[in-house]
Amino acid sequence: MPSKNDPADDAEDLREAEAAFTDARGYLFGIAYRMLGSVSEAEDVLQEAWIRWQTYDRSRVENPLAFLTTTVTRLAINVLQSARVRRQTYVGPWLPEPVDTSADPALGAVNGEALEVAVLMLLEKLTPTERAAYVLREAFDYPYEQIAEIIGQTNASARQLVSRARKRLAAEKRASVAAADHQRFLTAFVTAAQQGNVAVLEKLLADDVVSYSDGGGVVRASRFPVVGRHRVARFYHAFADRFWPGVTVEPAEVNGRPAVSLSRDGTVFAVLTVSVTPDGIDRVLVMMNPSKLAAMTV
């Protein structure tokens, strides 16, 4: 019989570990991305989780998915704690890194909650543990007992964290519209922006609309949010002649909502999406930081 340390046994054990991790990978990415709002940071967390899983005494693990979920969540909490400091010194508005959900439909298959760009921006206002508890509860329907175990809190504390997160988001989260209406507003906005048509833009925008452009200090973009219907309409009018010539506009599905990717010479340089309420477009979100567009293709 082969010994306990037989190379063949070790190789088979590693194959089983790899298979378990591969099966769970999409699910784990969904948790990490919703917590971090960054594809690259989520991938880093998954890489670290794989290293830990690879080197852990897996004979002690009864439920691989539960172990990996706990590992990923706790790693993401640690990353969030340091990321908050980095984002405070970020040049200009910080927007979440867009993810192409048409290419990865499983990302939103469990629950689209905490996936839309505008919601991810609101989650930035939560503490790391509040965000973890909210994501596990609202996006993945974890029972409070499991949430408490994953984040190392009591059951009562887990309930309080989710409750506080819900209240903070409810105070700012706005009613959205159906996907068809969202697409209609987005298409009309892009057309009006290309034409620099102030009158049409103002009809599409809510009174308190805010436009965010995330260039990260790497490319030219407004370093301050533009606020108000008239100012936002004038802003897109002012740059129409310089911004749009030579741009190819392609429809996209970003974070579960209609969006457009903008490219020049075959290279995506921006992703534009909007948040739409019954009062009109209340958020215009333009992601232009090249480091955040690596996952987007034309």
Side-chain angles (χ1 to χ4, degrees), residues 28-68:
L28 299 172
F29 178 83
I31 293 174
Y33 174 75
R34 284 171 171 86
M35 285 186 61
L36 299 169
S38 167
V39 173
S40 54
E41 288 178 350
E43 291 288 1
D44 288 344
V45 163
L46 261 62
Q47 181 62 30
E48 178 62 26
W50 162 243
I51 292 172
R52 296 191 181 196
W53 175 238
Q54 194 176 11
T55 57
Y56 194 77
D57 180 3
R58 293 181 296 278
S59 64
R60 299 167 53 192
V61 177
E62 294 183 5
N63 186 329
L65 181 59
F67 175 89
L68 290 168

Side-chain angles (χ1 to χ4, degrees), residues 7-211:
D9 283 355
D10 291 343
E12 178 61 25
D13 181 58
L14 187 58
R15 280 194 293 271
E16 291 177 359
E18 185 175 5
F21 187 86
T22 300
D23 289 343
R25 195 182 192 289
Y27 185 85
L28 299 172
F29 178 83
I31 293 174
Y33 174 75
R34 284 171 171 86
M35 285 186 61
L36 299 169
S38 167
V39 173
S40 54
E41 288 178 350
E43 291 288 1
D44 288 344
V45 163
L46 261 62
Q47 181 62 30
E48 178 62 26
W50 162 243
I51 292 172
R52 296 191 181 196
W53 175 238
Q54 194 176 11
T55 57
Y56 194 77
D57 180 3
R58 293 181 296 278
S59 64
R60 299 167 53 192
V61 177
E62 294 183 5
N63 186 329
L65 181 59
F67 175 89
L68 290 168
T69 297
T70 299
T71 301
V72 164
T73 302
R74 292 182 179 180
L75 286 170
I77 288 174
N78 292 339
V79 172
L80 268 180
Q81 289 168 341
S82 60
R84 288 168 75 89
V85 176
R86 293 196 304 273
R87 289 171 190 175
Q88 287 172 358
T89 59
Y90 192 81
V91 178
W94 181 92
L95 294 178
E97 188 173 346
V99 61
D100 182 356
T101 41
S102 68
D104 186 11
L107 183 59
V110 178
N111 188 326
E113 183 62 39
L115 185 60
E116 294 178 30
V117 175
V119 176
L120 288 172
M121 291 175 68
L122 292 179
L123 292 183
E124 287 291 305
K125 300 182 179 182
L126 304 180
T127 67
T129 50
E130 283 175 344
R131 188 161 179 168
Y134 181 87
V135 166
L136 291 172
R137 181 64 181 173
E138 298 299 315
F140 295 90
D141 201 28
Y142 271 81
Y144 288 107
E145 294 80 2
Q146 278 187 271
I147 295 172
E149 184 177 348
I150 289 170
I151 64 177
Q153 302 272 350
T154 65
N155 192 351
S157 294
R159 289 179 178 273
Q160 288 178 344
L161 288 167
V162 174
S163 177
R164 284 204 303 267
R166 283 173 176 163
K167 288 177 182 177
R168 294 188 68 179
L169 266 63
E172 298 188 51
K173 189 177 178 183
R174 303 186 178 192
S176 58
V177 297
D181 291 328
H182 189 122
Q183 180 66 70
R184 180 170 57 84
F185 269 89
L186 172 66
T187 301
F189 175 83
V190 171
T191 299
Q194 288 175 303
Q195 296 170 350
N197 192 324
V198 173
V200 174
L201 286 168
E202 289 189 336
K203 289 180 181 179
L204 296 170
L205 302 173
D207 286 339
D208 57 352
V209 62
V210 184
S211 176

